[in-house]
Structure formats: C-alpha cells, structure tokens
Amino acid sequence: GTSRSKENVYLLQNLNELLEKKRIEMSLPYELTASIGATVVPPDSYNSLAKEIDMADNIMYQNKQSFHEKHDAQMKQKDN
C-alpha cells in the first residue's frame, strides 16, 4: 500500500544518505547511490515468480529515474 511505498522511499533515502557520508569519509571522487525495487506478494497471489521479479525490477528503475531527475535538478541549481 501507500504506507509501504513511503516506507520504501524513506529507507532508500536513508541508505543513499549513508552512502554519501561514506563517500565523503573515504574521499571518493565519485558518487555512491543505490536503487532498490521491492514488491509485497500476498499469499493468494496468482502471479508467477518471474512476474513478481519483473514488477520489483520496474519499481527499481522508477526509483532510479526519480533519483536522477532530482539529482540533475539539484546539480543545475548549484551551477546557477
């Protein structure tokens, strides 16, 4: 549901914040980020495992695209 989706976004944001702190701590010259896709499968689901993995994979790519859109916008603001 929506609360699970918000929880996943929150966890991903926290993970990316931790990765950024580690990047700074290690003086890495590149960014570290993670994209995660997850889906909850109800016990009475008739979807195949392949279908569930495909759904989670699509969510991961949506998360990745959203991150990059936000990141690109932030970089443009820094350049101005």
Side-chain angles (χ1 to χ4, degrees):
T2 303
S3 64
R4 168 114 16 221
S5 177
K6 287 180 184 178
E7 182 179 308
N8 289 342
V9 168
Y10 177 74
L11 290 173
L12 184 58
Q13 287 173 340
N14 282 341
L15 176 58
N16 281 320
E17 287 172 10
L18 289 172
L19 287 171
E20 177 62 8
K21 287 178 184 176
K22 194 65 164 173
R23 182 194 70 80
I24 292 168
E25 177 184 305
M26 296 174 68
S27 300
L28 298 174
Y30 50 83
E31 293 184 28
L32 295 174
T33 62
S35 296
I36 299 170
T39 182
V40 176
V41 182
D44 59 348
S45 174
Y46 292 102
N47 290 336
S48 67
L49 178 59
K51 175 70 175 172
E52 293 296 337
I53 291 171
D54 188 50
M55 289 170 39
D57 198 40
N58 286 332
I59 292 168
M60 180 189 68
Y61 284 110
Q62 289 172 4
N63 289 339
K64 190 176 216 171
Q65 181 179 13
S66 175
F67 170 81
H68 285 289
E69 287 171 357
K70 289 176 187 174
H71 179 265
D72 291 348
Q74 289 172 345
M75 292 295 107
K76 284 181 183 178
Q77 284 182 342
K78 285 184 180 180
D79 290 341
N80 292 333

